[in-house]
């Protein structure tokens, strides 16, 4: 059994809103950290009186009842966690984990029982619901009725505003209504200015809320009394205290963080900001007895206090609120102060990097803890090159942008966030911080290193490279159909440096302006130049292919094949290839299908005549069997009165290659175009057509020599299976060579 139990996904009810947090049960105490506010509640194990286990709408609830009457509830536990918690509580907290059943009858009459700081409503001696009395803001007693009003929470989706209890009279001397009312008021969070104030600070300058206020310090709350508004702030709502020196060295900010905030109409003030001068001195006498000073405040306060005003105020606030005061740590900006001048939204202010977070004062005040930060980002300022922006993104997706920071502050701020191990968004994804540190060493001024300027140059270089790559890729899809337009047709712009001559080919993507060429150096420029030349070669080959081949022909639809028709016999080459294919693949596993077929064609040519003769005999025998089968098939069709189809004419066989070349040259797809139409075309000359005609003629002659009359009767789409390779050149140029024939096989 471990000495602690940790539960990271529990919630705590705070004035009607469920705040997530992390609960840690230790052998000597209980710790709960609110994920929203960062507030930490700590209780000693000796202060725990009872621990109860209740079934709630959000799973199960762990209820801790303390010796002083305070009750703390944590929801979100699972039923399976009961045994582990029961063992831990009984071992470390000198009590047992008690299961408490809740009434589900739904009755609205029962018995009111006050326990600690809560009101339990019992139905048949079983708890139906309970009311935390520290959420009560006001109560009114009538003849037989008591009305309870509650504090409102802006974060709660639904809020209970008022609850009324009807209390019938009895025959006893005590008034049950007044007794009920007194029990509510005793535990309710109702601020009443009773008794004398501890001290009063007159005419204190407040930045938020703006104005001059008299600050009256009472034992449980403080009151801001101004000419127009009055605010009462319980000490329990104070989260943190900050004492921040101004950048001018003559003033001090004293910041009080509040949750829930103080309200004025629709305005919420989450921070109380007081401004003091360093030179102002004050002497005052506290309205406390010597016993209270020693027992209640443990000697932290004195009967008579004197010194700088900001120091006296901060000491009193620290003692009465029991909160620590946060001051700037080791960070020093370029000016030697712990503050950085910047703007947030439309107002200027000061950003303070602290040991556990950032705080911006003063309008609007912002406090960001490190544990809620996801990433930070250094960005180029939109208004000026002499400043930059600092973005802070939280884990909830909120982004705070502090702009107009002087570039001299960049190095200090970057070193600070690196030391706090915050993830830098625009550094971590581009090779890490080490590569960036090396880039910073390229500054022209070694004595006065400008880290920001180096960073901006690096970003500019990366942006130019991306633009060059995008421009080249976009330009490659817009190549003109006429190849002559690619050479000498582009005119250099006036702002281009080193414009090309008219006899050299180039693309728009090759130029990024003079500034881009100056920022390039070393291997980066050479690598980018090689990439550009490679892209130009691809465009040239693509445009040449488009000119000579024309648009792609649509595929022919396959004709219906009679299943009874005899299959054509394989040639001698394919009989050999089918036997040797697996061996060739094993010996050359790295070859693709096309390369494998070319390899097989070369090996077939190198075979001796004796081996070729054996396969030619097999092919001849298969051919004779095919001819006999075809004669029987034709006779059968003739008896049935059907026509014999499938491309019977040898003339059509000889015409098909020529027709294919002509259609491809004219770019007409399946429509036939005559020689006169081709000659009169604007994009094709008579001289251009001659080599294509000669190539088609030579190709037809080769096929006539190596193909029998019976083979010429075969359909065009199966021609490649019966044509053995003739020469290496034709294998690579002809569409009916052995390489693609093997791929079809």
């Amino acid at each position: 059994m471990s000495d602690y139990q940790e539960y990271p996904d529990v919630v705590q009810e705070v004035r009607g809103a469920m705040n997530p947090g992390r609960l840690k049960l230790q052998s000597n105490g209980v710790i709960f950290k609110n994920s929203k506010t960062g507030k930490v509640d700590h209780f000693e194990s000796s202060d725990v009186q009872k621990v109860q286990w209740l079934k709630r709408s959000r799973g199960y609830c762990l209820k801790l009842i303390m010796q002083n009457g305070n009750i703390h509830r944590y929801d979100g536990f699972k039923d399976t966690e009961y045994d582990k918690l029961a063992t831990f509580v009984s071992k470390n907290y000198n009590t047992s984990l008690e299961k408490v059943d809740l009434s589900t009858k739904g009755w609205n009459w029962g018995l009111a029982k006050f326990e600690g700081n809560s009101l339990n409503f019992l139905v048949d001696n079983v708890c139906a619901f309970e009311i935390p009395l520290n959420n009560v803001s006001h109560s009114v007693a009538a003849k037989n009725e008591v009305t309870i009003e509650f504090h409102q929470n802006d974060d709660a989706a639904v809020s209970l505003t008022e609850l009324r209890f009807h209390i019938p009279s009895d025959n006893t001397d005590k008034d049950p209504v007044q007794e009920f009312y007194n029990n509510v008021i005793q535990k309710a969070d109702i601020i009443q200015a009773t008794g004398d104030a501890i001290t009063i600070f007159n005419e204190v300058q407040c930045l938020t809320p703006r104005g001059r206020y008299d600050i009256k310090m009472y034992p449980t709350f403080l009151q801001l009394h101004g000419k127009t508004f009055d605010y009462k702030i319980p000490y329990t709502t104070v989260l943190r205290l900050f004492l921040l020196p101004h950048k001018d060295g003559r003033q001090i900010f004293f910041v009080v963080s509040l949750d829930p905030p103080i309200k004025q109409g629709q305005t919420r003030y989450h921070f109380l900001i007081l401004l003091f001068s360093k030179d102002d001195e004050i002497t005052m006498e506290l309205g406390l007895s010597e016993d209270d000073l020693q027992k209640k405040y443990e000697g932290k306060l004195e009967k008579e206090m004197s010194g700088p005003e900001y120091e006296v105020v901060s000491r009193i606030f620290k003692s009465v609120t029991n909160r620590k005061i946060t001051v700037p740590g080791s960070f020093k900006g370029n000016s030697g102060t712990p503050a950085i001048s910047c703007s947030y939204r439309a107002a200027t202010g000061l950003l303070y990097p602290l040991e556990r977070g950032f705080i911006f004062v003063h309008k609007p005040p912002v406090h960001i803890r490190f544990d809620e930060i996801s990433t930070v980002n250094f960005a180029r300022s939109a208004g000026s090159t002499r400043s930059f922006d600092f973005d802070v993104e939280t884990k909830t997706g909120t982004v705070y942008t502090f702009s107009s920071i002087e570039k001299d502050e960049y190095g200090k701020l970057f070193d600070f966030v690196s030391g706090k191990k915050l993830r830098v968004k625009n550094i971590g994804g581009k090779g890490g911080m080490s590569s960036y540190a090396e880039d910073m060493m390229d500054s022209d001024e070694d004595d006065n290193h400008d880290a920001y300027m180096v960073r901006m140059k690096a970003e500019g270089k990366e942006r130019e490279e991306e633009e060059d790559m995008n421009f080249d890729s976009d330009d490659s899809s817009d190549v003109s159909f006429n190849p002559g337009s690619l050479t000498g047709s582009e005119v250099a712009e006036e702002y281009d440096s080193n414009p090309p001559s008219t006899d050299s080919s180039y693309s728009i993507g090759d130029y990024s302006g003079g500034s881009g060429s100056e920022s390039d150096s070393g291997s980066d420029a050479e690598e980018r130049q090689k990439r550009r030349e490679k892209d130009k070669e691809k465009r040239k080959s693509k445009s040449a292919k488009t000119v000579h081949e024309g648009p792609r022909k649509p595929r022919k639809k396959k004709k219906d094949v009679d299943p009874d028709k005899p299959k054509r016999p394989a040639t001698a080459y394919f009989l050999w290839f089918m036997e040797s294919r697996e061996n060739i693949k094993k010996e050359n596993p790295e070859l693709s299908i096309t390369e494998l077929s070319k390899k097989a064609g070369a090996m077939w040519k190198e075979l001796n005549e004796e081996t070729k003769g054996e396969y030619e005999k097999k092919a001849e025998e298969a051919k004779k069997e095919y001819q006999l089968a075809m004669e029987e098939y034709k006779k059968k069709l003739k008896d049935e009165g059907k026509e014999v189809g499938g491309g019977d004419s040898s003339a059509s066989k000889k015409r098909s290659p020529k027709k294919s070349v002509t259609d491809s040259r004219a770019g007409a797809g399946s429509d036939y175009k005559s020689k006169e139409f081709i000659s009169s075309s604007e994009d094709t000359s008579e001289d251009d057509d001659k080599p294509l005609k000669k190539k088609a003629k030579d190709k037809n002659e080769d096929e006539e020599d190596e193909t029998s009359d019976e083979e010429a009767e075969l359909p065009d789409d199966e021609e490649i299976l019966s044509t053995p390779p003739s020469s290496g050149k034709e294998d690579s140029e002809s569409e009916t060579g052995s390489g693609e024939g093997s791929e079809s096989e």
Side-chain angles (χ1 to χ4, degrees):
M1 188 69 180
S2 61
D3 293 337
Y4 69 93
Q5 299 288 334
E6 193 167 5
Y7 301 92
D9 299 323
V10 300
V11 293
Q12 182 186 37
E13 186 271 331
V14 180
R15 296 191 176 184
M18 294 296 181
N19 292 339
R22 179 183 294 271
L23 178 66
K24 188 174 184 180
L25 303 176
Q26 296 178 332
S27 58
N28 58 349
V30 180
I31 299 175
F32 178 80
K33 183 176 182 180
N34 193 318
S35 300
K36 177 186 174 184
T37 62
K39 182 179 179 181
V40 178
D41 297 330
H42 182 267
F43 321 109
E44 297 293 335
S45 58
S46 58
D47 295 337
V48 178
Q49 182 180 6
K50 290 183 181 180
V51 183
Q52 296 178 349
W53 181 262
L54 300 84
K55 183 173 177 56
R56 302 270 281 258
S57 59
R58 291 177 174 267
Y60 286 83
C61 170
L62 187 67
K63 181 178 177 182
L64 302 177
I65 303 175
M66 315 305 290
Q67 298 283 357
N68 57 5
N70 292 334
I71 298 177
H72 304 278
R73 304 168 187 84
Y74 305 102
D75 290 83
F77 290 90
K78 299 178 182 178
D79 186 20
T80 56
E81 296 171 342
Y82 172 78
D83 295 335
K84 183 171 61 174
L85 278 170
T87 305
F88 184 84
V89 169
S90 60
K91 178 182 178 182
N92 298 287
Y93 295 161
N94 296 324
T95 184
S96 60
L97 184 59
E98 177 186 357
K99 280 189 176 182
V100 177
D101 296 329
L102 298 178
S103 175
T104 57
K105 289 186 177 181
W107 295 355
N108 63 343
W109 68 90
L111 178 66
K113 182 179 179 182
F114 292 90
E115 182 181 2
N117 63 351
S118 67
L119 166 60
N120 296 333
F121 190 80
L122 307 180
V123 175
D124 282 352
N125 292 324
V126 179
C127 183
F129 62 88
E130 59 180 341
I131 301 173
L133 293 179
N134 53 3
N135 290 351
V136 176
S137 63
H138 189 59
S139 180
V140 177
K143 184 177 181 180
N144 290 322
E145 189 177 77
V146 176
T147 303
I148 298 176
E149 298 179 6
F150 299 95
H151 288 290
Q152 300 303 300
N153 191 343
D154 296 335
D155 297 331
V158 179
S159 297
L160 178 64
T161 59
E162 184 180 282
L163 197 61
R164 294 184 180 182
F165 291 90
H166 176 76
I167 304 173
S169 59
D170 54 13
N171 297 326
T172 61
D173 296 336
K174 295 182 179 179
D175 186 2
V177 175
Q178 188 63 33
E179 186 178 0
F180 186 95
Y181 173 77
N182 292 337
N183 287 328
V184 171
I185 292 297
Q186 184 180 359
K187 298 294 183 180
D189 186 15
I190 301 176
I191 300 175
Q192 295 178 344
T194 59
D196 297 332
I198 297 175
T199 186
I200 299 176
F201 301 99
N202 296 317
E203 296 292 324
V204 177
Q205 182 180 357
C206 291
L207 302 180
T208 303
R210 187 175 180 181
R212 287 191 174 270
Y213 291 85
D214 293 338
I215 302 179
K216 299 180 180 180
M217 307 288 293
Y218 289 90
T220 58
F221 70 96
L222 68 90
Q223 181 182 7
L224 296 180
H225 177 69
K227 294 181 179 179
T228 307
F229 303 108
D230 282 346
Y231 302 97
K232 294 180 180 179
I233 305 174
Y235 295 143
T236 56
T237 64
V238 176
L239 288 180
R240 295 175 184 84
L241 302 174
F242 300 91
L243 193 62
L244 308 172
H246 197 281
K247 195 174 182 180
D248 59 8
R250 295 177 297 176
Q251 301 179 95
I252 294 287
F253 293 109
F254 184 69
V255 183
V256 181
S257 176
L258 304 174
D259 184 58
I262 56 178
K263 305 175 185 179
Q264 182 58 51
Q266 297 298 322
T267 307
R268 305 290 186 267
Y269 298 105
H270 291 271
F271 293 89
L272 174 64
I273 301 180
L274 310 178
L275 183 62
F276 299 97
S277 175
K278 274 191 173 183
D279 299 332
D280 291 344
E281 300 281 340
I282 190 175
T283 299
M284 62 172 48
E285 185 176 348
L286 302 184
L288 295 172
S289 62
E290 292 293 339
D291 292 339
D292 291 339
L293 291 174
Q294 296 297 327
K295 294 179 181 180
K296 191 172 182 179
Y297 300 104
E298 300 177 355
K300 297 178 181 178
L301 299 178
E302 300 173 359
K303 184 69 174 178
E304 184 176 344
M305 302 185 66
S306 62
E309 187 177 7
Y310 73 89
E311 184 178 336
V312 173
V313 171
S314 60
R315 286 180 60 188
I316 294 177
F317 265 86
K318 179 181 179 181
S319 300
V320 297
T321 61
N322 199 22
R323 295 284 185 268
K324 295 180 180 180
I325 297 179
T326 302
V327 296
S330 59
F331 174 81
K332 297 293 181 182
N334 187 64
S335 60
T337 62
I340 297 175
S341 300
C342 62
S343 298
Y344 177 65
R345 296 182 180 175
T348 59
L350 298 175
L351 177 65
Y352 291 86
L354 307 175
E355 291 300 317
R356 295 185 179 181
F358 295 99
I359 187 170
F360 174 82
V361 290
H362 73 98
K363 191 176 180 180
V366 176
H367 178 239
I368 312 170
R369 305 189 313 274
F370 286 159
D371 57 5
E372 60 180 344
I373 293 177
S374 173
T375 59
V376 297
N377 177 39
F378 295 88
R380 186 194 302 270
S381 179
S384 173
T385 57
R386 299 186 59 83
S387 61
F388 67 95
D389 296 347
F390 181 61
D391 301 332
V392 180
E393 182 177 355
T394 63
K395 296 177 181 178
T396 59
T398 306
V399 179
Y400 299 91
T401 301
F402 304 99
S403 58
S404 302
I405 304 176
E406 295 182 0
K407 66 176 183 179
D408 296 336
E409 304 283 0
Y410 176 81
K412 301 284 187 180
L413 185 57
F414 181 82
D415 294 340
F416 175 79
V417 298
S418 301
K420 296 300 180 182
K421 298 181 180 181
L422 299 179
R423 192 166 74 89
V424 184
K425 193 173 186 179
N426 55 356
I427 299 299
K430 295 183 179 180
M433 299 182 184
S434 59
S435 61
Y436 174 68
E438 294 175 0
D439 294 340
M440 291 198 302
M441 299 306 295
D442 295 334
S443 176
D444 296 333
E445 300 177 5
D446 295 335
D447 297 335
N448 187 14
H449 172 59
D450 189 353
Y452 175 76
M453 182 59 67
V454 174
R455 176 60 188 160
M456 294 300 103
K457 286 183 179 181
E459 287 185 358
K461 184 185 294 185
E462 293 171 359
R463 187 177 292 106
E464 287 169 4
E465 292 179 0
E466 293 177 358
E467 289 176 356
D468 289 344
M469 295 179 65
N470 295 336
F471 218 154
D472 289 345
S473 61
D474 294 341
D475 186 58
S476 62
S477 61
D478 298 329
V479 178
S480 175
F481 180 78
N482 189 353
S485 64
L486 296 177
T487 57
S489 61
E490 305 272 24
V491 180
E493 299 292 342
E494 294 178 355
Y495 54 80
D496 285 344
S497 61
N498 300 326
S501 59
T502 56
D503 58 348
S504 62
S505 61
Y506 65 95
S507 64
I508 299 175
D510 294 339
Y511 291 89
S512 59
S515 61
S517 61
E518 291 176 1
S519 62
D520 297 338
S521 62
S523 59
D524 293 340
E526 295 178 0
E527 184 178 353
R528 188 159 56 257
Q529 184 65 22
K530 291 179 181 179
R531 186 165 58 248
R532 290 173 179 169
E533 293 176 357
K534 188 176 180 180
D535 292 340
K536 286 191 287 185
E537 292 177 0
K538 289 183 179 179
R539 290 198 297 274
K540 287 181 180 180
S541 62
K542 185 175 181 180
S543 61
K545 183 177 180 182
T546 306
V547 171
H548 290 295
E549 291 185 0
R552 182 178 295 179
K553 294 193 304 178
R555 288 188 176 182
K556 295 181 180 180
K557 293 183 178 180
K558 290 187 177 182
K559 300 178 182 180
D560 295 337
V561 181
D562 188 353
D564 296 333
K565 184 177 179 180
K567 303 296 182 182
R568 292 178 299 103
T571 61
Y573 166 74
F574 270 100
L575 290 174
W576 169 83
F577 181 71
M578 293 303 294
E579 294 181 2
S580 308
R581 182 175 183 177
E582 293 300 325
N583 294 332
I584 299 175
K585 286 176 66 177
K586 290 180 181 179
E587 295 175 359
N588 304 276
E590 73 281 356
L591 296 181
S592 62
I593 296 177
T594 306
E595 295 171 346
L596 183 67
S597 61
K598 291 181 180 180
K599 177 75 173 177
M603 293 175 64
W604 169 259
K605 294 171 192 175
E606 296 175 358
L607 287 178
N608 53 36
E609 295 298 331
E610 182 179 355
T611 306
K612 285 186 178 180
E614 295 178 1
Y615 288 101
E616 288 174 355
K617 289 180 182 179
K618 295 180 181 179
E620 189 67 25
E621 294 175 359
K623 184 177 180 180
K624 291 179 180 179
E625 295 177 359
Y626 169 74
Q627 290 175 352
L628 294 176
M630 279 297 296
E631 290 177 0
E632 295 178 359
Y633 174 71
K634 291 178 181 179
K635 184 178 179 181
K636 178 182 177 182
L637 293 181
K638 188 174 181 181
D639 295 341
E640 295 177 357
K642 298 180 180 180
E643 295 182 358
V644 180
D648 302 320
S649 159
S650 62
S652 65
K653 174 67 180 176
K654 296 177 182 179
R655 283 198 306 268
S656 60
K658 184 176 182 180
K659 180 177 183 299
S660 175
V661 174
T662 306
D663 289 347
S664 177
R665 182 70 183 96
S670 60
D671 297 333
Y672 177 80
K673 294 187 179 181
S674 64
K675 174 184 176 183
E676 290 78 14
F677 180 84
I678 298 173
S679 300
S680 62
S681 174
E682 295 180 0
D683 294 335
T684 309
S685 63
E686 187 68 26
D687 295 337
D688 293 338
D689 200 27
K690 287 180 181 180
L692 295 176
K693 292 179 181 178
K694 185 176 183 305
K695 181 179 177 181
K697 182 178 179 181
D698 296 341
K699 185 176 171 184
N700 292 337
E701 290 176 359
D702 293 339
E703 291 175 351
E704 289 173 2
D705 294 340
E706 298 182 11
T707 309
S708 63
D709 293 339
E710 282 296 327
E711 288 175 339
E713 295 177 0
L714 301 176
D716 293 341
D717 57 350
E718 297 178 353
E719 175 186 356
I720 57 176
L721 293 176
S722 60
T723 307
S726 57
S727 65
K729 183 177 181 181
E730 291 181 3
D731 286 344
S732 60
E733 296 180 355
S734 174
E735 294 182 358
T736 60
S738 63
E740 297 188 8
S742 301
E743 187 175 3
S744 301
E745 180 66 16

